[in-house]
Amino acid sequence: NAGVTQTPKFQVLKTGQSMTLQCAQDMNHEYMSWYRQDPGMGLRLIHYSVGAGITDQGEVPNGYNVSRSTTEDFPLRLLSAAPSQTSVYFCASSYALAVQETQYFGPGTRLLVL
Amino acid sequence: AQSVTQLGSHVSVSEGALVLLRCNYSSSVPPYLFWYVQYPNQGLQLLLKYTSAATLVKGINGFEAEFKKSETSFHLTKPSAHMSDAAEYFCAVKDPGRRALTFGSGTRLQVQP
C-alpha cells in the first residue's frame, strides 16, 4: 500500500493564480480531509468528506473548494491564491468517521503564494 | 469549543534523559486523545491514542501517555530520549459527535548529545 499520497510536494504561486492539490489513498477509506499547518497554530481543518459525493466545510474553508468523485481521490482547489494561503497542506484519511479511528496523513504539500 | 494546550513550544533534553511533553484539553466530556509525531519534511504519524480502555497508553518507539481526568491532561513521556526522537509532537482531541481532530500548536523536541 502506498497509503496517502500528495502531489506536488512544493509549489510556488503568484497571487490570483489557481491550482489543485492532489490527494489519493489506496486503503479504501471512506473519510478524507484536508488540513493546513501554520507555525504555532497546529493543524486546522479546511474541508472533509465522508464518502464519494459528500463533502463539508471544516474550520477554515474560505478560498478552497473540494470534490469527491471517487473513494480514492480528494483534490483541494485554490480558486484565487492569496499570500494568506501560504502554508503546508496535509491530506488525511481514515476508515470511518468513528471517533476512535486513526487518521493517516500524507507527506504534505508546501505552498508559497507570492 | 474544544481546545488543546501544549505547554512549551520547544523542549530540549539530553540524550538518555526523561522526555515529558505536556498536553491539556478543555472538555466536560472525556474526549478521545491522540499524540502524533512529525519528523522533518514528513507527514504526521500516530504515536498513541486514548479511547477510554485504559488510562495509561503505550505507543510506538517507547512513548506512553497517561490520561488524568481530574487534571484534564494527557502528557506524553519517554524514560530515555534518543537522538532519533527529535521531531515535532502534536496532541489532538476528538469529541464524540465532532467530525475532526482539534490539534494543539505542537511542541518541538530537541535531543542534545
Side-chain angles (χ1 to χ4, degrees), chain A residues 25 29-30 32 49-53 55 67-71 73-74:
Chain A
Q25 52 88 13
H29 285 172
E30 289 295 322
M32 297 185 73
S49 168
V50 298
T55 64
S67 60
R68 184 97 178 268
S69 56
T70 67
T71 299
D73 300 297
F74 190 44

Side-chain angles (χ1 to χ4, degrees), chain B residues 48-70:
Chain B
L48 50 83
K49 63 181 180 182
Y50 166 75
T51 58
S52 76
T55 57
L56 183 62
V57 182
K58 294 188 184 299
I60 61 171
N61 301 337
F63 284 93
E64 62 182 36
E66 186 173 8
F67 171 69
K68 291 187 177 180
K69 182 179 176 181
S70 61

Side-chain angles (χ1 to χ4, degrees), chain A residues 31 35 37 40-43 45 48 50 90 97-103 105-107 110, chain B residues 32 34 36 38 41-44 46 49 51 88 90 94-96 99-101 103-105:
Chain A
Y31 180 80
Y35 292 85
Q37 182 183 27
M41 301 186 73
L43 279 74
L45 183 67
Y48 64 93
V50 298
F90 289 100
L97 190 56
V99 66
Q100 70 274 23
E101 284 290 333
T102 299
Q103 288 199 35
F105 285 81
R110 190 173 296 271
Chain B
Y32 290 87
F34 304 79
Y36 281 87
Q38 184 180 29
N41 300 313
Q42 294 188 28
L44 278 71
L46 181 69
K49 63 181 180 182
T51 58
E88 188 153 22
F90 291 93
K94 194 172 184 188
D95 286 327
R99 292 183 176 270
L101 293 166
F103 283 87
S105 55

